[in-house]
Amino acid sequence: MAYYQPSPVAGRHFLQIPGPTNVPDRVLRAMDHPTMDHRGPDFGRFGAQLLEKLRTVFKTEGPVVIYPASGTGAWEAALVNTLSPGDRVLMCETGWFATLWQEMAERLQLRPEFIPTDWRRGADVPAIEAALREDKAHGIRAVCVVHNETSTGCTSRIEEVRRAIDAVGHPALLLVDTISSLGSIDYRHDEWGVDVTVAGSQKGLMLPPGLSFNAVSEKALKATETAQLPRSFWDWRPMLKANETGYFPYTPATNLLYGLDAAVDMLNEEGLDNVFARHDRFAEATRRAVRHWGLEIQCEEPRHYSSSLTAVRLPEGHSANALRAVILERFNMSLGNGLGRLNDRVFRIGHLGDFGPLSLIGTLGGVEMGLGAAGVPHKPGGVQAAMAYLNGNA
């Protein structure tokens, strides 16, 4: 059974959450190939080629480590390979996922210092700079930022965070979560001076969940020599050693790697700049529909608008969860729920990954019909507003 439904529904299910995203047929077909011997010569050649071309997506000349894990595993790998118990870590509370990363840091016996926000904008760069400037003894060992906060639809400006660190002359490592931005929003590991980039397979990379990634700088590799947090499965060193010949130190997720190979080819064939422009265009069309409906976008700072998803606030007295339930039952479409303090306040429209103009119009049509069916006050015509924008911005 491809998708569990209590009763048959005609038409394909619209999965419009901000990840996992829809998996393209080309990726599914690649994953359908027979599993090869992960110790044989064919796999070594395949692995070496894949690891090399994967760097283009991160825009790095350095190594990219692949784990058979969710993005949470890559969070942990980034921390345990570079830090020691008791290290101070500066983090910014941009939303639910930044909060989870902070909680992980605490469980690992780090000392996170959490800069609060209202969950309606990206990272507070002036506050980050001020905290680093006050740290005269350089006790803060890392700055951790979520590039695209999936819970809020706010994107942080990583290049500005790097400039703030450099302006202070602080030696802290820069660790960045790109789980919902890599392959969807412009990101530059090397140019922006990122030390560890965290990523996952199930969003802009158009794969099922199950792979996670660390792109690693020379500075981060140097930090592994003194890092004292316990690590075994997450240790970069045996992974990088095996990767030199295209292999892995333990059994890799072979068929997911086949899919990754196809997905990277798709991104490079379209051209990353074109991929980003496509996401930008669909995001703006979505925001125009939301504004036409008379609803509020969760992200209040236009410079921080996400091109991966749009989080939409409902008027007081209306349940976002009830709206999502109506849309699922009547129109066979899944939308993202509100997380943490945004539970039942927002719904989230994913517009990332293998996503075209008709996918967007179908999604917005389902939302508009759902708003009417659920009795949410709105001005009809949001779909037409989105179409008018798309027609004028081919």
Side-chain angles (χ1 to χ4, degrees):
M1 182 179 296
Y3 178 78
Y4 175 75
Q5 292 170 319
S7 59
V9 178
R12 75 169 184 87
H13 178 70
F14 261 57
L15 180 69
Q16 301 311 145
I17 61 177
T21 62
N22 296 287
V23 180
D25 286 345
R26 179 171 168 184
V27 173
L28 290 171
R29 297 294 78 78
M31 292 169 55
D32 196 33
H33 289 162
T35 303
M36 73 168 76
D37 174 11
H38 64 286
R39 300 290 180 227
D42 288 344
F43 186 90
R45 287 189 288 270
F46 165 73
Q49 292 170 1
L50 174 59
L51 288 164
E52 178 63 30
K53 68 183 178 183
L54 184 59
R55 297 177 182 182
T56 63
V57 181
F58 290 84
K59 296 189 178 180
T60 182
E61 297 296 324
V64 178
V65 175
I66 306 174
Y67 293 104
S70 70
T72 305
W75 272 352
E76 183 163 339
L79 296 175
V80 300
N81 279 285
T82 58
L83 300 168
S84 299
D87 279 352
R88 294 167 61 198
V89 181
L90 187 62
M91 308 177 104
C92 196
E93 186 197 3
T94 49
W96 179 247
F97 291 97
T99 302
L100 292 180
W101 203 7
Q102 179 255 351
E103 291 175 356
M104 173 186 282
E106 289 182 336
R107 290 195 298 271
L108 291 172
Q109 299 181 10
L110 298 169
R111 291 191 295 155
E113 299 175 12
F114 215 23
I115 297 172
T117 77
D118 58 4
W119 290 34
R120 306 202 67 173
R121 62 204 74 247
D124 187 340
V125 176
I128 291 172
E129 181 172 341
L132 293 175
R133 195 173 297 279
E134 291 177 6
D135 181 32
K136 304 296 185 183
H138 294 164
I140 295 172
R141 303 302 301 275
V143 177
C144 299
V145 180
V146 175
H147 182 215
N148 187 74
E149 178 56 70
T150 323
S151 65
T152 66
C154 299
T155 301
S156 295
R157 306 300 291 261
I158 301 304
E159 69 277 25
E160 294 178 8
V161 176
R162 166 45 65 192
R163 286 199 294 269
I165 296 171
D166 292 345
V168 177
H170 201 287
L173 295 164
L174 176 57
L175 280 52
V176 179
D177 169 346
T178 67
I179 292 172
S180 64
S181 59
L182 190 76
S184 303
I185 301 171
D186 189 16
Y187 182 77
R188 310 176 188 192
H189 176 91
D190 285 0
E191 183 179 331
W192 293 345
V194 180
D195 293 299
V196 187
T197 296
V198 171
S201 59
Q202 74 276 17
K203 297 183 187 280
L205 294 181
M206 306 176 291
L207 288 159
L211 294 180
S212 64
F213 309 88
N214 280 168
V216 184
S217 74
E218 285 294 332
K219 183 178 176 181
L221 288 174
K222 184 70 175 175
T224 64
E225 299 173 7
T226 56
Q228 297 298 313
L229 284 173
R231 52 191 147 139
S232 176
F233 180 85
W234 305 115
D235 197 336
W236 289 337
R237 293 167 295 185
M239 183 71 81
L240 292 171
K241 181 64 177 175
N243 284 175
E244 290 175 1
T245 51
Y247 295 99
F248 292 77
Y250 41 72
T251 307
T254 308
N255 288 58
L256 281 174
L257 295 179
Y258 296 165
L260 176 62
D261 186 63
V264 172
D265 283 346
M266 290 177 68
L267 291 171
N268 287 331
E269 288 165 11
E270 184 176 355
L272 284 175
D273 288 344
N274 294 327
V275 172
F276 302 147
R278 170 167 56 85
H279 284 77
D280 293 344
R281 182 169 170 253
F282 294 156
E284 177 58 26
T286 301
R287 291 190 292 267
R288 292 188 180 215
V290 173
R291 293 190 192 103
H292 187 94
W293 291 326
L295 301 179
E296 189 178 356
I297 297 168
Q298 172 65 22
C299 183
E300 285 189 321
E301 174 53 66
R303 292 180 66 251
H304 295 167
Y305 282 155
S306 170
S307 291
S308 294
L309 73 139
T310 300
V312 184
R313 294 174 69 91
L314 286 193
E316 291 290 341
H318 292 271
S319 165
N321 291 340
L323 171 67
R324 291 174 48 253
V326 167
I327 291 173
L328 177 60
E329 179 181 359
R330 297 201 185 185
F331 309 118
N332 196 21
M333 181 167 72
S334 294
L335 297 169
N337 63 304
L339 298 169
R341 70 173 72 166
L342 298 179
N343 178 43
D344 210 27
R345 290 289 296 116
V346 308
F347 67 92
R348 296 174 296 145
I349 303 170
H351 36 70
L352 72 162
D354 185 35
F355 196 76
L358 295 184
S359 304
L360 177 63
I361 296 306
T363 299
L364 297 177
V367 173
E368 186 158 333
M369 289 189 293
L371 292 169
V376 176
H378 69 288
K379 177 184 176 183
V383 178
Q384 284 75 17
M387 288 193 296
Y389 173 76
L390 293 177
N391 286 334
N393 291 271

